[in-house]
Amino acid sequence: MKHVKILAVAAVLTLVLAAGQALAHTALCNCFDNGDGSVSCEGGFSDGSSAAGVAVTVLDAGGKELLKGTMDPNSQYTFKKPDGKYTVRFFAGEGHEVLVPSDKIVQ
């Protein structure tokens, strides 16, 4: 019986610690209009982790994929600005997604 209580306490502590780590790793992405027909996005995580290799997709207003790439070794992605409204999707896995609509991208 004593072993069951110890295992139960250990399980609860593991869940609490795992939840704290999940909250400490929030995805971040900001995009800027370069004024030359291109847009640059910078990504990362709230714990300071690099976003190198993270998938970036540019979607049109209807959700159709226009461009697809990945963050470079400096956690940046630059693309030719599409016509009309669009959304930049930074996707680092389940629970780590940032959507940046074109009307929030400034010079």
Side-chain angles (χ1 to χ4, degrees):
M1 187 66 162
K2 188 175 184 178
H3 293 324
V4 173
K5 288 182 182 180
I6 291 172
L7 287 175
V9 169
V12 169
L13 287 174
T14 300
L15 288 173
V16 169
L17 291 173
Q21 286 180 341
L23 293 174
H25 193 74
T26 303
L28 306 169
C29 184
N30 289 305
C31 299
F32 308 92
D33 186 325
N34 295 316
D36 63 359
S38 69
V39 174
S40 293
C41 299
E42 298 174 347
F45 298 92
S46 60
D47 66 358
S49 298
S50 170
V54 170
V56 180
T57 308
V58 180
L59 308 167
D60 70 9
K64 179 183 172 192
E65 184 178 293
L66 298 174
L67 302 165
K68 187 174 187 176
T70 59
M71 290 282 175
D72 69 15
N74 295 317
S75 299
Q76 298 178 347
Y77 179 71
T78 300
F79 59 94
K80 182 180 175 188
K81 182 178 172 181
D83 294 330
K85 292 187 177 198
Y86 60 93
T87 298
V88 177
R89 179 181 185 233
F90 173 93
F91 185 71
E94 188 68 33
H96 293 91
E97 176 181 45
V98 178
L99 298 174
V100 182
S102 57
D103 62 349
K104 301 291 183 190
I105 299 173
V106 297
Q107 282 187 326

